[in-house]
Short mmCIF file of all heavy atoms in Angstrom, two decimals:
data_model
loop_
_atom_site.label_atom_id
_atom_site.label_comp_id
_atom_site.label_asym_id
_atom_site.label_seq_id
_atom_site.Cartn_x
_atom_site.Cartn_y
_atom_site.Cartn_z
N ARG A 1 7.28 -2.74 2.62
CA ARG A 1 6.92 -3.57 3.76
C ARG A 1 6.02 -4.70 3.28
O ARG A 1 5.13 -4.50 2.46
CB ARG A 1 6.16 -2.73 4.81
CG ARG A 1 5.68 -3.50 6.03
CD ARG A 1 6.82 -4.11 6.79
NE ARG A 1 6.36 -4.76 8.04
CZ ARG A 1 6.95 -5.80 8.60
NH1 ARG A 1 8.04 -6.32 8.03
NH2 ARG A 1 6.49 -6.31 9.71
N ALA A 2 6.27 -5.91 3.78
CA ALA A 2 5.43 -7.06 3.47
C ALA A 2 5.06 -7.76 4.76
O ALA A 2 5.92 -8.02 5.60
CB ALA A 2 6.15 -8.02 2.53
N VAL A 3 3.77 -8.05 4.93
CA VAL A 3 3.28 -8.69 6.15
C VAL A 3 2.35 -9.84 5.77
O VAL A 3 1.74 -9.85 4.69
CB VAL A 3 2.51 -7.69 7.05
CG1 VAL A 3 3.45 -6.60 7.56
CG2 VAL A 3 1.33 -7.06 6.30
N TYR A 4 2.25 -10.82 6.67
CA TYR A 4 1.35 -11.94 6.44
C TYR A 4 0.03 -11.69 7.13
O TYR A 4 -0.03 -11.43 8.33
CB TYR A 4 1.96 -13.24 6.96
CG TYR A 4 1.10 -14.45 6.69
CD1 TYR A 4 0.80 -14.83 5.38
CD2 TYR A 4 0.57 -15.20 7.73
CE1 TYR A 4 0.01 -15.94 5.11
CE2 TYR A 4 -0.22 -16.32 7.47
CZ TYR A 4 -0.51 -16.68 6.16
OH TYR A 4 -1.30 -17.77 5.90
N ASN A 5 -1.05 -11.74 6.36
CA ASN A 5 -2.40 -11.61 6.88
C ASN A 5 -2.94 -13.02 7.08
O ASN A 5 -3.35 -13.69 6.13
CB ASN A 5 -3.26 -10.83 5.87
CG ASN A 5 -4.68 -10.62 6.35
OD1 ASN A 5 -5.23 -11.40 7.11
ND2 ASN A 5 -5.30 -9.54 5.89
N ALA A 6 -2.91 -13.50 8.33
CA ALA A 6 -3.28 -14.88 8.61
C ALA A 6 -4.75 -15.15 8.32
O ALA A 6 -5.12 -16.24 7.87
CB ALA A 6 -2.95 -15.22 10.06
N ARG A 7 -5.60 -14.17 8.57
CA ARG A 7 -7.03 -14.37 8.34
C ARG A 7 -7.32 -14.61 6.86
O ARG A 7 -8.13 -15.47 6.49
CB ARG A 7 -7.82 -13.15 8.83
CG ARG A 7 -9.34 -13.30 8.69
CD ARG A 7 -10.05 -12.15 9.39
NE ARG A 7 -9.72 -10.88 8.76
CZ ARG A 7 -10.37 -10.38 7.70
NH1 ARG A 7 -11.37 -11.05 7.15
NH2 ARG A 7 -10.02 -9.21 7.20
N GLU A 8 -6.65 -13.87 5.98
CA GLU A 8 -6.85 -14.03 4.53
C GLU A 8 -5.90 -15.05 3.91
O GLU A 8 -6.04 -15.40 2.74
CB GLU A 8 -6.67 -12.67 3.83
CG GLU A 8 -7.65 -11.60 4.26
CD GLU A 8 -9.08 -11.91 3.85
OE1 GLU A 8 -9.27 -12.73 2.93
OE2 GLU A 8 -10.01 -11.35 4.45
N GLY A 9 -4.91 -15.49 4.70
CA GLY A 9 -3.97 -16.47 4.19
C GLY A 9 -3.09 -15.94 3.07
O GLY A 9 -2.85 -16.64 2.09
N ARG A 10 -2.56 -14.72 3.25
CA ARG A 10 -1.79 -14.13 2.16
C ARG A 10 -0.74 -13.16 2.69
O ARG A 10 -0.91 -12.53 3.72
CB ARG A 10 -2.71 -13.40 1.18
CG ARG A 10 -3.34 -12.14 1.76
CD ARG A 10 -4.45 -11.59 0.89
NE ARG A 10 -4.96 -10.32 1.42
CZ ARG A 10 -6.15 -9.82 1.10
NH1 ARG A 10 -6.96 -10.46 0.26
NH2 ARG A 10 -6.55 -8.66 1.61
N ILE A 11 0.36 -13.08 1.97
CA ILE A 11 1.33 -12.00 2.13
C ILE A 11 0.78 -10.76 1.44
O ILE A 11 0.24 -10.83 0.33
CB ILE A 11 2.69 -12.39 1.52
CG1 ILE A 11 3.43 -13.40 2.40
CG2 ILE A 11 3.57 -11.16 1.27
CD1 ILE A 11 4.08 -12.80 3.66
N GLU A 12 0.90 -9.61 2.11
CA GLU A 12 0.49 -8.34 1.52
C GLU A 12 1.71 -7.43 1.43
O GLU A 12 2.39 -7.19 2.43
CB GLU A 12 -0.60 -7.69 2.37
CG GLU A 12 -1.86 -8.54 2.46
CD GLU A 12 -2.92 -7.99 3.38
OE1 GLU A 12 -2.64 -7.01 4.11
OE2 GLU A 12 -4.04 -8.54 3.38
N MET A 13 2.01 -6.96 0.24
CA MET A 13 3.19 -6.14 -0.01
C MET A 13 2.75 -4.69 -0.25
O MET A 13 1.83 -4.44 -1.04
CB MET A 13 3.97 -6.69 -1.21
CG MET A 13 5.42 -6.25 -1.25
SD MET A 13 6.42 -7.35 -2.28
CE MET A 13 6.01 -6.76 -3.92
N TYR A 14 3.42 -3.77 0.43
CA TYR A 14 3.04 -2.36 0.38
C TYR A 14 4.24 -1.47 0.11
O TYR A 14 5.39 -1.83 0.40
CB TYR A 14 2.43 -1.91 1.71
CG TYR A 14 1.12 -2.58 2.07
CD1 TYR A 14 1.10 -3.73 2.86
CD2 TYR A 14 -0.09 -2.05 1.64
CE1 TYR A 14 -0.10 -4.34 3.20
CE2 TYR A 14 -1.30 -2.65 1.98
CZ TYR A 14 -1.30 -3.79 2.76
OH TYR A 14 -2.48 -4.40 3.09
N LEU A 15 3.94 -0.28 -0.40
CA LEU A 15 4.86 0.85 -0.37
C LEU A 15 4.24 1.88 0.57
O LEU A 15 3.18 2.45 0.27
CB LEU A 15 5.04 1.43 -1.78
CG LEU A 15 5.82 0.53 -2.74
CD1 LEU A 15 5.65 1.01 -4.17
CD2 LEU A 15 7.30 0.48 -2.36
N ARG A 16 4.86 2.08 1.72
CA ARG A 16 4.29 2.97 2.73
C ARG A 16 4.90 4.36 2.63
O ARG A 16 6.12 4.53 2.54
CB ARG A 16 4.51 2.41 4.14
CG ARG A 16 3.74 1.12 4.38
CD ARG A 16 3.49 0.87 5.85
NE ARG A 16 2.69 -0.33 6.06
CZ ARG A 16 1.36 -0.38 5.99
NH1 ARG A 16 0.69 0.71 5.68
NH2 ARG A 16 0.72 -1.52 6.19
N SER A 17 4.03 5.36 2.64
CA SER A 17 4.47 6.75 2.60
C SER A 17 5.09 7.12 3.93
O SER A 17 4.50 6.89 5.00
CB SER A 17 3.28 7.66 2.29
OG SER A 17 3.67 9.01 2.32
N LEU A 18 6.28 7.72 3.89
CA LEU A 18 6.99 8.10 5.13
C LEU A 18 6.56 9.47 5.63
O LEU A 18 6.96 9.88 6.72
CB LEU A 18 8.49 8.08 4.89
CG LEU A 18 9.09 6.72 4.53
CD1 LEU A 18 10.59 6.84 4.29
CD2 LEU A 18 8.80 5.70 5.62
N ALA A 19 5.76 10.19 4.84
CA ALA A 19 5.33 11.53 5.24
C ALA A 19 4.02 11.86 4.53
O ALA A 19 3.65 11.21 3.55
CB ALA A 19 6.39 12.57 4.86
N ARG A 20 3.35 12.85 5.04
CA ARG A 20 2.17 13.36 4.33
C ARG A 20 2.67 14.05 3.06
O ARG A 20 3.58 14.88 3.10
CB ARG A 20 1.42 14.34 5.21
CG ARG A 20 0.08 14.76 4.65
CD ARG A 20 -0.64 15.66 5.62
NE ARG A 20 -1.99 15.96 5.16
CZ ARG A 20 -2.84 16.76 5.80
NH1 ARG A 20 -2.47 17.33 6.96
NH2 ARG A 20 -4.04 16.98 5.30
N GLN A 21 2.08 13.69 1.92
CA GLN A 21 2.59 14.21 0.66
C GLN A 21 1.53 14.12 -0.44
O GLN A 21 0.53 13.41 -0.31
CB GLN A 21 3.84 13.45 0.23
CG GLN A 21 3.64 11.94 0.07
CD GLN A 21 4.91 11.22 -0.33
OE1 GLN A 21 5.60 11.60 -1.28
NE2 GLN A 21 5.24 10.14 0.40
N VAL A 22 1.77 14.86 -1.50
CA VAL A 22 0.95 14.78 -2.71
C VAL A 22 1.87 14.34 -3.84
O VAL A 22 2.94 14.92 -4.05
CB VAL A 22 0.30 16.13 -3.05
CG1 VAL A 22 -0.48 16.04 -4.37
CG2 VAL A 22 -0.63 16.58 -1.93
N VAL A 23 1.46 13.30 -4.54
CA VAL A 23 2.22 12.80 -5.68
C VAL A 23 1.39 13.00 -6.94
O VAL A 23 0.17 13.09 -6.89
CB VAL A 23 2.60 11.32 -5.52
CG1 VAL A 23 3.49 11.12 -4.30
CG2 VAL A 23 1.35 10.45 -5.41
N HIS A 24 2.08 13.09 -8.06
CA HIS A 24 1.40 13.33 -9.33
C HIS A 24 1.74 12.25 -10.35
O HIS A 24 2.88 11.75 -10.38
CB HIS A 24 1.79 14.70 -9.91
CG HIS A 24 1.37 15.85 -9.05
ND1 HIS A 24 2.15 16.30 -7.99
CD2 HIS A 24 0.24 16.63 -9.07
CE1 HIS A 24 1.54 17.32 -7.40
NE2 HIS A 24 0.38 17.54 -8.04
N VAL A 25 0.76 11.92 -11.15
CA VAL A 25 0.95 11.09 -12.34
C VAL A 25 0.38 11.90 -13.49
O VAL A 25 -0.83 12.03 -13.63
CB VAL A 25 0.24 9.73 -12.21
CG1 VAL A 25 0.46 8.90 -13.48
CG2 VAL A 25 0.72 8.97 -10.98
N GLY A 26 1.28 12.48 -14.28
CA GLY A 26 0.83 13.43 -15.28
C GLY A 26 0.19 14.63 -14.60
O GLY A 26 0.78 15.25 -13.70
N GLU A 27 -1.04 14.92 -14.97
CA GLU A 27 -1.75 16.08 -14.40
C GLU A 27 -2.53 15.72 -13.14
O GLU A 27 -3.05 16.62 -12.48
CB GLU A 27 -2.72 16.65 -15.45
CG GLU A 27 -2.07 17.11 -16.74
CD GLU A 27 -1.08 18.24 -16.50
OE1 GLU A 27 -1.40 19.14 -15.69
OE2 GLU A 27 0.01 18.22 -17.12
N ARG A 28 -2.63 14.45 -12.81
CA ARG A 28 -3.45 14.03 -11.67
C ARG A 28 -2.62 14.00 -10.40
O ARG A 28 -1.50 13.47 -10.36
CB ARG A 28 -4.02 12.63 -11.92
CG ARG A 28 -5.08 12.56 -13.02
CD ARG A 28 -6.45 12.96 -12.53
NE ARG A 28 -6.91 12.11 -11.45
CZ ARG A 28 -7.51 10.93 -11.62
NH1 ARG A 28 -7.70 10.45 -12.85
NH2 ARG A 28 -7.93 10.24 -10.58
N GLY A 29 -3.19 14.55 -9.33
CA GLY A 29 -2.54 14.54 -8.04
C GLY A 29 -3.24 13.61 -7.07
O GLY A 29 -4.48 13.45 -7.13
N PHE A 30 -2.47 12.99 -6.17
CA PHE A 30 -3.02 12.05 -5.20
C PHE A 30 -2.38 12.32 -3.84
O PHE A 30 -1.16 12.41 -3.72
CB PHE A 30 -2.74 10.60 -5.61
CG PHE A 30 -3.30 10.24 -6.96
CD1 PHE A 30 -2.52 10.38 -8.10
CD2 PHE A 30 -4.61 9.81 -7.09
CE1 PHE A 30 -3.02 10.06 -9.35
CE2 PHE A 30 -5.13 9.49 -8.34
CZ PHE A 30 -4.34 9.62 -9.47
N SER A 31 -3.23 12.47 -2.81
CA SER A 31 -2.74 12.76 -1.46
C SER A 31 -2.49 11.47 -0.70
O SER A 31 -3.26 10.51 -0.79
CB SER A 31 -3.77 13.60 -0.70
OG SER A 31 -3.97 14.85 -1.33
N LEU A 32 -1.40 11.45 0.04
CA LEU A 32 -1.04 10.32 0.89
C LEU A 32 -0.75 10.82 2.29
O LEU A 32 -0.05 11.83 2.46
CB LEU A 32 0.19 9.60 0.35
CG LEU A 32 -0.01 8.79 -0.94
CD1 LEU A 32 1.16 8.96 -1.87
CD2 LEU A 32 -0.19 7.32 -0.60
N GLU A 33 -1.29 10.12 3.28
CA GLU A 33 -0.98 10.43 4.66
C GLU A 33 0.29 9.72 5.08
O GLU A 33 0.68 8.70 4.47
CB GLU A 33 -2.13 10.01 5.58
CG GLU A 33 -3.44 10.72 5.31
CD GLU A 33 -3.36 12.22 5.56
OE1 GLU A 33 -2.60 12.63 6.48
OE2 GLU A 33 -4.03 12.98 4.83
N ALA A 34 0.94 10.22 6.11
CA ALA A 34 2.11 9.52 6.65
C ALA A 34 1.68 8.14 7.14
O ALA A 34 0.71 8.01 7.88
CB ALA A 34 2.73 10.32 7.79
N GLY A 35 2.37 7.11 6.71
CA GLY A 35 2.05 5.75 7.08
C GLY A 35 1.07 5.06 6.17
O GLY A 35 0.84 3.85 6.29
N GLU A 36 0.45 5.80 5.24
CA GLU A 36 -0.51 5.19 4.32
C GLU A 36 0.22 4.30 3.33
O GLU A 36 1.29 4.63 2.82
CB GLU A 36 -1.29 6.28 3.58
CG GLU A 36 -2.37 5.73 2.66
CD GLU A 36 -3.19 6.82 1.99
OE1 GLU A 36 -2.97 8.02 2.29
OE2 GLU A 36 -4.07 6.48 1.17
N GLY A 37 -0.37 3.17 3.03
CA GLY A 37 0.27 2.22 2.14
C GLY A 37 -0.40 2.14 0.78
O GLY A 37 -1.62 2.30 0.65
N ILE A 38 0.41 1.88 -0.23
CA ILE A 38 -0.08 1.52 -1.56
C ILE A 38 0.20 0.03 -1.71
O ILE A 38 1.36 -0.40 -1.71
CB ILE A 38 0.66 2.30 -2.67
CG1 ILE A 38 0.52 3.80 -2.47
CG2 ILE A 38 0.13 1.89 -4.05
CD1 ILE A 38 1.40 4.62 -3.41
N CYS A 39 -0.86 -0.77 -1.82
CA CYS A 39 -0.68 -2.22 -1.94
C CYS A 39 -0.24 -2.56 -3.36
O CYS A 39 -0.88 -2.15 -4.33
CB CYS A 39 -1.97 -2.94 -1.60
SG CYS A 39 -1.81 -4.73 -1.61
N THR A 40 0.84 -3.30 -3.48
CA THR A 40 1.38 -3.65 -4.80
C THR A 40 1.29 -5.14 -5.10
O THR A 40 1.49 -5.54 -6.25
CB THR A 40 2.85 -3.21 -4.93
OG1 THR A 40 3.60 -3.80 -3.87
CG2 THR A 40 2.97 -1.69 -4.85
N GLU A 41 1.03 -5.98 -4.09
CA GLU A 41 0.94 -7.41 -4.36
C GLU A 41 0.29 -8.13 -3.19
O GLU A 41 0.53 -7.80 -2.03
CB GLU A 41 2.33 -8.01 -4.61
CG GLU A 41 2.30 -9.50 -4.96
CD GLU A 41 3.69 -10.04 -5.28
OE1 GLU A 41 4.11 -9.92 -6.43
OE2 GLU A 41 4.33 -10.58 -4.35
N HIS A 42 -0.55 -9.10 -3.52
CA HIS A 42 -1.00 -10.13 -2.58
C HIS A 42 -0.43 -11.45 -3.05
O HIS A 42 -0.36 -11.71 -4.25
CB HIS A 42 -2.52 -10.22 -2.54
CG HIS A 42 -3.18 -9.09 -1.83
ND1 HIS A 42 -4.53 -8.81 -1.96
CD2 HIS A 42 -2.69 -8.16 -0.97
CE1 HIS A 42 -4.83 -7.77 -1.22
NE2 HIS A 42 -3.75 -7.35 -0.61
N SER A 43 -0.03 -12.28 -2.11
CA SER A 43 0.46 -13.62 -2.46
C SER A 43 -0.24 -14.63 -1.55
O SER A 43 0.18 -14.83 -0.40
CB SER A 43 1.98 -13.70 -2.31
OG SER A 43 2.45 -14.95 -2.72
N HIS A 44 -1.32 -15.22 -2.07
CA HIS A 44 -2.10 -16.18 -1.29
C HIS A 44 -1.36 -17.50 -1.13
O HIS A 44 -0.71 -17.98 -2.06
CB HIS A 44 -3.45 -16.44 -1.96
CG HIS A 44 -4.37 -15.25 -1.94
ND1 HIS A 44 -4.25 -14.21 -2.83
CD2 HIS A 44 -5.40 -14.94 -1.12
CE1 HIS A 44 -5.19 -13.30 -2.58
NE2 HIS A 44 -5.89 -13.71 -1.56
N LYS A 45 -1.48 -18.07 0.05
CA LYS A 45 -0.92 -19.38 0.35
C LYS A 45 -2.08 -20.36 0.57
O LYS A 45 -3.13 -19.97 1.09
CB LYS A 45 -0.02 -19.33 1.59
CG LYS A 45 0.98 -18.16 1.58
CD LYS A 45 1.88 -18.18 0.36
CE LYS A 45 2.78 -16.94 0.30
NZ LYS A 45 3.59 -16.88 -0.93
#
């Protein structure tokens, strides 16, 4: 999902979790709520 934040003057790009879940990177675990986003890019205008 990508949305424009008019106050900051930037596009914000996210990967939104569709469910409550725990993801792992190697041995580390990270909890995500349903609807929680991981921001992957800002694009200022």
Side-chain angles (χ1 to χ4, degrees):
R1 178 61 175 150
V3 295
Y4 183 62
N5 181 331
R7 183 172 63 86
E8 298 293 340
R10 69 192 184 200
I11 285 284
E12 299 175 351
M13 201 160 79
Y14 295 93
L15 290 166
R16 293 203 177 277
S17 177
L18 297 179
R20 189 177 185 181
Q21 58 182 309
V22 176
V23 298
H24 296 85
V25 180
E27 301 298 319
R28 291 278 301 276
F30 302 92
S31 298
L32 289 139
E33 298 296 327
E36 183 177 356
I38 303 171
C39 184
T40 56
E41 183 177 275
H42 286 163
S43 184
H44 292 80
K45 312 303 174 184

